[in-house]
Amino acid sequence: MPRPLEKEEKDLKESGHLAERDSEKSNLGPGICGQIEKLVLCKRYNEALELFEIVECEGGDFDVNVDTYDALVGACIALRSIRGVKRVFSHMVNSGVDFDLYMMNRVLLMHVRCRMMIDARQLFEDMPERNLVSWNTIIGGLVDSGDYLDAFSLFLMMWEEDSDDVGSRTFATMVRASAGLELISPGQQLHSCALKMGLSGDVFVSCALIDMYSKCGSIEDAKFVFDMMPEKTTVAWNSVIAGYALHGYSEEALSMYYEMQDSGVKMDHFTYSMIIRVCTRLASLPHAKQAHAGLIRNGFGSDVVASTALVDFYSKWGRIGDARNVFDRMPQKNVISWNALISGYGNHGRGAEAVDLFQQMVRQGMVPNHITFLAVLSACCYSGLSDRGWEIFESMSRDYKVKPRAMHYACMVELLGREGLLDEAFSLLRDSPIKPTINMWAALLTACRVHKNLELGKYAAEKLYGMEPEKLSNYVVLLNIYSSSGKLQEAAEVLRTLRRKGLRMLPACTWIEIKKQQYVFFTGDKSHPQTKEIYDNLEEVKLQISKHGYLPHGNNLLPDVDEREESMLLHHSEKLAISFGLISTPSSTPLQLVQSHRICNDCHNAIKLISTVYQREIVFRDGSRFHHFKDGHCSCGDYW
DNA sequence: CTAGGGTTAG
């Protein structure tokens, strides 16, 4: 039963929300209707609906007036309770209460909010009269549930019925529908209509337009609409930043964020979530720390989404301890938060802890999804926990009713491949209930490369050519397999195929951030002002790691780059970047690098030794995965 | 009617 309402009642009376209540309706006991209305006013919606249900069950029919129905409808809207909608609505119908236009619109909204779109459409059809609110409610509901085309046809009906009555709200909604369809032309038409009707100054229309243009691929138009806004709201800034982030313009997104900060507009948890994600892509620790501080300072520290983004950031950049800290402080966590941390542990080569967390999450009643399983399976895979991996793989559909998808099979192919069980890996791929996908063949091909199985590797590579003939890296892996086993003729053949197809290898580049500044290095790069120091230091590094057993072995494995680079092994972009990092940061500072291609064997080996000799943690993201080098070991288990 | 923007994997 509801707890007493004295405090809220007092507050409401003082604020004028409660007037001469209780006396006027006394048809049922001690003012049940009044109780319900008060509970709704205090946002205690669950209790309001419970009370309604109790009275309904006990008393059979009791008189409820319009205000109480309105309150109950409000409770259903707030709670999105389908059960509530059914009960309240049928009570209303049976009571013969008068559905005026206002009440019809409320009832319509109640159905829309609870995603009962079939009933909502029927209600709308049956309405004896409709106004702008009715149209907006039903059209908005259709857009929210992704029925964009239906939304358009209703909008056109509305337009024909009375085009003068179409307001800015409707326009904003329809612009959102165009964004959902990812069709720019209806969006443009709506834009010009809005201009003609003088609605373009409307904040909501502008924000919807920004979002629509960026989702339809025109960030320039989005920026134009944004620039035209006389007063830029938080959402306007967020929308345009989201646009840049969506298109991979991370630097632009970041600089817009600083402009937003300077403009004095309040930033919210949406802003921070996006920016933290941008920092993840840019591998920028200082900017991420700044955003983390801002998040806390502005009181969004307990936001689930932003905190999850932070967990992801810290774990991707080598700071799994910090990730864990953020996670442990989160007052609420969702599946995504757990997934982020589990895959973090997996990427750090800490599979046992990932499995522990998985079990902990299940014990706490969190329901794992397909991504959870991908995270925990790949954690087992990276750490060589194959028995545990198989157990979990088998339990996922049996105990958790999550059907393994192609990616889960690809992961298990990799798990077998790591152990050198290539035939078993191939059988799993062939016998899986899913048609083998690119990822499954690629996992097999990687296994063949690492374990030097020419025949199967060639077979997998050919499959991949058929599936993605324009993708360079497939050819390069085969090229590597051939050249590393001395099959030079075959290697030359692959190169000829490449030329025939006009596929050019792109130069590899590595970038590193020092003091909030990004530096990019190409192989043999001499454009940096400190070039001499970088190269001299590299010689010194080579000398130091040679004492610990470093031997250049360029003929062993080509990187995914131009063959010219083979002779420039020592000057690979990752080595240059690391050399620069070593001389530009205090000792024991971790280094963070991003590489466009897959790291080559020689660099991988060299970096492992550097991490020991110079006592540096080196976090390296390459084209295929995440490497965390520490004390001479890499989190990938030397398999990538 | 009270709109518009955000997090995990690939």
Side-chain angles (χ1 to χ4, degrees), chain A residues 243-315:
Chain A
Y244 281 111
L246 178 72
H247 289 275
Y249 297 121
S250 305
E251 285 90 353
E252 287 81 353
L254 196 61
S255 72
M256 288 298 284
Y257 159 77
Y258 283 109
E259 272 184 51
M260 176 179 182
Q261 203 165 45
D262 293 341
S263 83
V265 172
K266 278 228 179 335
M267 306 206 250
D268 62 7
H269 48 305
F270 287 90
T271 323
Y272 289 112
S273 308
M274 290 187 296
I275 285 308
I276 292 161
R277 193 164 133 70
V278 163
C279 290
T280 308
R281 287 218 307 246
L282 290 171
S284 173
L285 186 65
H287 288 125
K289 275 185 167 169
Q290 196 267 6
H292 189 173
L295 183 79
I296 307 283
R297 205 174 42 240
N298 291 299
F300 304 112
S302 54
D303 183 74
V304 188
V305 177
S307 302
T308 301
L310 276 171
V311 169
D312 183 50
F313 173 85
Y314 284 122
S315 87

Side-chain angles (χ1 to χ4, degrees), chain A residues 108-135:
Chain A
L108 184 64
L109 178 71
M110 170 173 86
H111 283 83
V112 161
R113 278 302 154 78
C114 299
R115 291 282 110 98
M116 300 163 77
M117 287 309 291
I118 296 172
D119 304 78
R121 293 194 71 159
Q122 195 57 54
L123 279 169
F124 181 78
E125 303 274 317
D126 295 344
M127 280 173 80
E129 56 166 336
R130 298 163 186 150
N131 64 3
L132 182 60
V133 174
S134 332
W135 284 101

